[in-house]
Amino acid sequence: MREFEYSILYWFQGLHNPVLDKIAIIITSLGNAGIFWIILTVFMLIICKDKKPAWASGIALIISLLIVNILLKNLVARSRPCWDESALRNVKMLVNIPKDYSFPSGHSSASFAASVAIVQYRRKLVISFIILASIIALSRLYLFVHWPTDVLCGVVIGIFSGLISGVIIRYVYAKRK
């Protein structure tokens, strides 16, 4: 399985060029600590009349954080591809090598958690949000900081977190009436 994952990562390495490198660094930085999604959630809480998407996003981000960063990363303790000295011989690192464990991808999980939570209430945003979440997730492979299965599991956990947050918000709002 490891060879298959390396083959995917090296395929992404073959795409490198100065323009894509800069774009990947910018895109991945949107997912750093979930900052873009947190700022968006706070912005929606302040600006939007209907607070459901914002509350759903906030809850989804918390669920994702608990599952990914508190539970799974430390439980699984999977090394990152960029920690493998022999693999790095053919790779130019464009970002600092992360110090935390690899599985699952927090960037992927947070991006899909917030996106899925929000689009349950703002259907017109579905394409743009899912594309943004997807390119943030793919940037982690391009930058050689996650295994493909880390990203895939992060996406699944993010979708689950987003859907669960929608259920919670619908339940809370139904109880308030």
Side-chain angles (χ1 to χ4, degrees), residues 11-174:
W11 180 83
F12 276 98
Q13 294 306 298
L15 300 176
H16 278 258
N17 66 63
V19 174
L20 281 179
D21 290 354
K22 287 182 176 136
I23 291 170
I25 292 167
I26 292 166
I27 291 295
T28 212
S29 69
L30 294 175
N32 291 348
I35 194 67
F36 172 79
W37 305 108
I38 293 167
I39 291 169
L40 178 63
T41 299
V42 170
F43 179 78
M44 288 187 308
L45 278 171
I46 294 168
I47 300 300
C48 296
K49 192 173 193 171
D50 180 10
K51 307 289 186 204
K52 289 179 201 168
W55 289 121
S57 178
I59 290 170
L61 288 167
I62 291 168
I63 293 169
S64 170
L65 173 76
L66 292 172
I67 293 171
V68 171
N69 295 81
I70 305 301
L71 179 66
L72 289 177
K73 278 193 186 271
N74 296 312
L75 186 67
V76 175
R78 185 180 194 190
S79 64
R80 291 177 179 271
C82 54
W83 291 359
D84 182 350
E85 298 276 332
S86 63
L88 280 178
R89 284 188 222 134
N90 301 321
V91 176
K92 179 183 174 205
M93 291 303 295
L94 302 173
V95 294
N96 293 331
I97 295 175
K99 306 269 188 263
D100 64 333
Y101 292 114
S102 188
F103 181 88
S105 167
H107 281 67
S108 303
S109 183
S111 297
F112 275 89
S115 292
V116 168
I118 293 167
V119 301
Q120 289 178 73
Y121 301 96
R122 298 288 185 268
R123 300 263 185 218
K124 290 180 181 178
L125 298 173
V126 69
I127 293 173
S128 56
F129 273 41
I130 298 305
I131 288 173
L132 178 58
S134 297
I135 60 175
I136 289 172
L138 290 172
S139 76
R140 307 307 284 165
L141 302 176
Y142 184 90
L143 295 169
F144 209 76
V145 293
H146 275 293
W147 300 101
T149 49
D150 299 341
V151 170
L152 180 61
C153 288
V155 168
V156 170
I157 292 166
I159 292 169
F160 169 80
S161 300
L163 292 173
I164 291 298
S165 72
V167 169
I168 292 168
I169 291 302
R170 285 188 292 281
Y171 176 79
V172 168
Y173 274 78

